[in-house]
Amino acid sequence: ITGNLSYNRINTAGADHAGQVTVTAGNTTQAKAFATNYTGTGQPVIVLTPTSDPLALGVPIGYWVTYSGSAGAWTGWTLNIQTALASNIVFNYVVVGVA
């Protein structure tokens, strides 16, 4: 079947698609496992938004994602921050699979 699919909203539920992840005080990582593996050859796209300002704690931080698994069987991901903070930091996230 060929053609285009057009829609104005995606409504999915479950922590594999969106949610919150917290890096607790004193730590620099937090791992998340997918309930169901992503099966695309490319790593899923994960968009993170911090819900608080780390600069308010006096510490600018960088953050990034590392992946678990491999092409065809992405099993999860880990949120990394460059500097451990004195307080928890919460991020909202959205995951989109890549074919």
Side-chain angles (χ1 to χ4, degrees), residues 56-85:
L57 302 173
V59 181
I61 64 161
Y63 55 91
W64 67 97
V65 169
T66 53
Y67 295 90
S68 303
S70 60
W74 301 104
T75 58
W77 56 280
T78 299
L79 167 59
N80 304 274
I81 62 173
Q82 76 184 58
T83 304
L85 300 174

Side-chain angles (χ1 to χ4, degrees), residues 4-99:
N4 296 319
L5 175 62
S6 178
Y7 49 87
N8 64 3
R9 181 180 297 215
I10 298 173
N11 185 8
T12 58
D16 280 355
H17 302 289
Q20 288 190 323
V21 60
T22 301
V23 179
T24 56
N27 291 304
T28 58
T29 63
Q30 180 60 50
K32 296 290 286 185
F34 295 130
T36 303
N37 291 352
Y38 278 79
T39 59
T41 56
Q43 297 168 332
V45 175
I46 299 172
V47 179
L48 297 166
T49 305
T51 64
S52 59
D53 182 3
L55 282 176
L57 302 173
V59 181
I61 64 161
Y63 55 91
W64 67 97
V65 169
T66 53
Y67 295 90
S68 303
S70 60
W74 301 104
T75 58
W77 56 280
T78 299
L79 167 59
N80 304 274
I81 62 173
Q82 76 184 58
T83 304
L85 300 174
S87 299
N88 294 350
I89 184 165
V90 178
F91 290 79
N92 291 333
Y93 68 86
V94 175
V95 180
V96 178
V98 176

